[in-house]
Amino acid sequence: MSQNDNGHKSVVLTDSAAGRSVELPVVQGTLGAPTLNIGKLYKETGYFTFDPGFTATASCQSAVTYIDGDEGVLLYRGYPIEQLAKQSSFLEVAYLLLNGELPNAKQFQAFDHEVTHHTMMHEAFKSFLHGFRHDAHPMAMLCGMIGSLAAFYHDDLDLDDPEQRRMAAIRLIAKVPTIAAACYRHSIGWPVRYPRNNLDYCTRFLHLMFEVPSEPLELNPVAAKALDLLFILHADHEQNASTSTVRLVGSTGANPYACVAAGIAALWGPAHGGANEAVLKMLEEIGDASRVQTAVDRAKDKNDDYRLMGFGHRVYKNFDPRATIIREMTHEVLRELGVNDPLLEVAMKLEEAALKDDYFVERKLYPNVDFYSGIIYKALNIPTEMFTVMFAIARTAGWVAHWLEQQNDPAGRIGRPRQVYTGAASRDYVPMAKR
Ligand code: SDX
């Protein structure tokens, strides 16, 4: 491979065996690694590219979020996550992700009012809950419920209409918490609550989760503040598996509710958003700081498929900046709520042991966003099965931001990867009697 003399504007690939070359344009973003546009590679050379897991493949151009995995940098529309965590709110971050700029007071007030006035579910929608067993996993319920939203807005799904696209984004950000809380209450046999418009986004969600008709809910304001910060940290993360799923489904012209339902399904996996639930179960299984080294040894053993959940990341080869913020806030939130959770000690000892171990150091495996978040959710009385639902509530802002960006791209095409075929070559059918 050689670079031509026009200063990185293209790269020449040469297939010396075939005696041919192809000049590939370099696509350089505002930040990040330069990429090779391989659109004409197959046509001019007969080669596909092969990159299982898409470790070095850009699927799209996007202005929403930037990650530098080596430096541990995360920017939402150019704003460092550390600054947004300190100074912003989840709803303001949702506005930023959707619109590309921070809102002024008037814009935020209008956005907040619109989201607040779309939080209710259609009454018929609640009957869906009764179709689920009470012990159904809330992610299973959420995935089904969000996908069925299309049935309630079938006359408002003209994707060529920017206003209908915008409204779908608002509805999803507004309704996912209401539906998520309803799924939880179904699982414990409590009546579904109606959202209260006089509350902020996170306080409203906690009321939807925990308020009972028989007495007023006493909420410590620390809880809503902690939840708001967790939602900011989970709101978006570039082309992760669930966001890439939303984009792939969106590329077929499917409605936004189907796209987000697909994103929820992808997020559920323990290698992705399901890790926060798996971390807590892992910490409970370890049980005590004295058994941490056994867990670390098991995670290193290639004959054991055990992994330290909440550790490692496809992109971050440094500390996940979100994990650093969550670790610090865990101590503060537990102290302010007066919660003493022995699992925090186990988590800290586990992190300390892993970060001193060559296996993790060599592979640049650090705690990720899921490692500490479950300890905070537990302190907020969120049940473990709801942890990934919490992730989905926050990530809905990122999913709809990417969906809108994709839908607004006039050059958008259906996503359709190729493959390396390893099956049988062509052969003739053999009648049953002769097999
Ligand atoms: C999220 O992409 C995103 O942005 C995701 C996310 C977002 O905000 O959307 O950040 C959210 O999904 C965070 C990740 C949550 N998942 C977990 O915590 C599950 C545990 N971690 C992993 O399974 C793993 O680290 C992944 C899935 C996160 C990343 O997988 P990769 O990039 O495919 O890495 P790999 O599986 O190829 O691992 C590389 C090496 C392997 O060892 P070797 O083959 O080199 O000997 O590291 C080892 C792995 O065995 N390894 C681990 C490990 N993670 C990787 N070994 C022990 N414990 C682990 N957690």
Side-chain angles (χ1 to χ4, degrees):
M1 175 165 94
S2 62
Q3 289 155 358
N4 76 350
D5 58 3
N6 66 4
H8 279 286
K9 289 224 179 21
S10 63
V11 164
V12 176
L13 289 185
T14 301
D15 178 354
S16 41
R20 63 184 164 205
S21 297
V22 61
E23 186 168 4
L24 299 174
V26 170
V27 178
Q28 175 63 62
T30 325
L31 298 169
T35 61
L36 294 179
N37 181 333
I38 56 169
K40 63 182 179 182
L41 183 71
Y42 177 64
K43 195 167 155 219
E44 295 200 7
T45 69
Y47 282 100
F48 285 156
T49 58
F50 182 52
D51 182 16
F54 309 114
T55 57
T57 297
S59 61
C60 61
Q61 290 181 311
S62 176
V64 180
T65 290
Y66 173 71
I67 303 171
D68 180 331
D70 295 328
E71 298 303 320
V73 169
L74 170 58
L75 308 176
Y76 288 168
R77 297 288 189 179
Y79 294 97
I81 193 68
E82 295 81 1
Q83 293 184 29
L84 293 170
K86 275 204 177 72
Q87 303 176 62
S88 189
S89 68
F90 172 68
L91 211 52
E92 183 179 70
V93 162
Y95 181 99
L96 171 66
L97 291 171
L98 261 63
N99 297 288
E101 298 297 337
L102 287 168
N104 61 33
K106 190 161 171 273
Q107 289 166 327
F108 181 72
Q109 194 276 329
F111 182 69
D112 186 4
H113 183 272
E114 200 168 25
V115 169
T116 299
H117 289 80
H118 282 89
T119 51
M120 279 178 65
M121 294 189 284
H122 188 292
E123 274 304 295
F125 197 71
K126 291 195 303 190
S127 59
F128 281 55
L129 286 167
H130 304 304
F132 294 114
R133 284 174 43 139
H134 78 279
D135 55 355
H137 193 289
M139 281 296 277
M141 292 194 262
L142 186 68
C143 193
M145 298 276 280
I146 298 301
S148 56
L149 275 175
F152 290 81
Y153 299 104
H154 52 274
D155 53 355
D156 206 5
L157 290 177
D158 173 4
L159 302 190
D160 293 329
D161 177 351
E163 179 52 20
Q164 292 188 37
R165 296 201 297 262
R166 190 191 70 84
M167 265 321 300
I170 294 286
R171 282 189 175 120
L172 280 158
I173 291 172
K175 292 182 196 305
V176 168
T178 306
I179 295 166
C183 293
Y184 167 62
R185 293 175 78 96
H186 173 72
S187 70
I188 56 173
W190 284 9
V192 170
R193 305 298 290 157
Y194 289 97
R196 290 169 50 175
N197 290 354
N198 62 323
L199 300 175
D200 64 69
Y201 194 87
C202 289
T203 308
R204 179 165 60 230
F205 172 71
L206 291 171
H207 271 258
L208 284 166
M209 283 282 287
F210 300 121
E211 191 177 35
V212 291
S214 38
E215 60 187 43
L217 176 67
E218 297 295 318
L219 258 189
N220 183 329
V222 168
K225 187 166 166 281
L227 196 56
D228 196 80
L229 177 47
L230 285 172
F231 282 177
I232 289 174
L233 298 172
H234 286 80
D236 192 52
H237 214 236
E238 197 214 67
Q239 303 309 322
N240 59 85
S242 53
T243 302
S244 297
T245 301
V246 169
R247 279 181 172 262
L248 188 60
V249 175
S251 74
T252 71
N255 73 72
Y257 307 104
C259 295
V260 169
I264 292 169
L267 185 75
W268 194 4
H272 190 15
N276 57 15
E277 178 179 347
V279 166
L280 206 83
K281 289 178 176 163
M282 171 187 74
L283 294 175
E284 285 171 342
E285 187 188 290
I286 294 170
D288 180 274
S290 65
R291 296 171 50 187
V292 150
Q293 193 53 50
T294 308
V296 170
D297 294 341
R298 277 193 66 192
K300 293 158 58 179
D301 179 356
K302 288 302 172 195
N303 299 316
D304 188 338
D305 61 5
Y306 183 84
R307 285 196 162 190
L308 292 191
M309 301 312 281
F311 255 81
H313 198 277
R314 170 61 57 76
V315 176
Y316 288 122
K317 300 309 170 191
N318 196 326
F319 272 90
D320 179 334
R322 303 167 298 173
T324 306
I325 296 168
I326 294 175
R327 183 205 300 121
E328 284 155 26
M329 78 182 271
T330 304
H331 296 281
E332 188 188 321
V333 170
L334 267 61
R335 185 175 56 251
E336 291 192 15
L337 291 177
V339 170
N340 175 23
D341 187 344
L343 293 184
L344 178 55
E345 170 74 9
V346 176
M348 288 166 58
K349 287 288 182 208
L350 186 60
E351 177 185 7
E352 186 188 338
L355 294 185
K356 282 192 301 201
D357 190 293
D358 288 347
Y359 173 95
F360 290 85
V361 174
E362 282 159 14
R363 292 168 177 80
K364 300 185 177 179
L365 303 175
Y366 293 90
N368 60 48
V369 68
D370 293 310
F371 189 63
Y372 283 100
S373 56
I375 296 176
I376 298 178
Y377 288 139
K378 184 166 172 259
L380 302 183
N381 297 316
I382 306 278
T384 309
E385 290 71 31
M386 283 290 288
F387 286 6
T388 310
V389 171
M390 307 305 287
F391 197 147
I393 293 171
R395 188 53 57 90
T396 295
W399 288 332
V400 297
H402 282 273
W403 177 77
L404 284 174
E405 182 180 62
Q406 175 194 56
Q407 297 300 315
N408 292 336
D409 176 4
R413 304 176 68 195
I414 190 168
R416 205 277 186 216
R418 300 308 303 270
Q419 63 175 12
V420 173
Y421 176 65
T422 57
S426 178
R427 52 186 170 165
D428 294 329
Y429 182 82
V430 176
M432 181 80 80
K434 292 187 174 173
R435 290 178 214 154

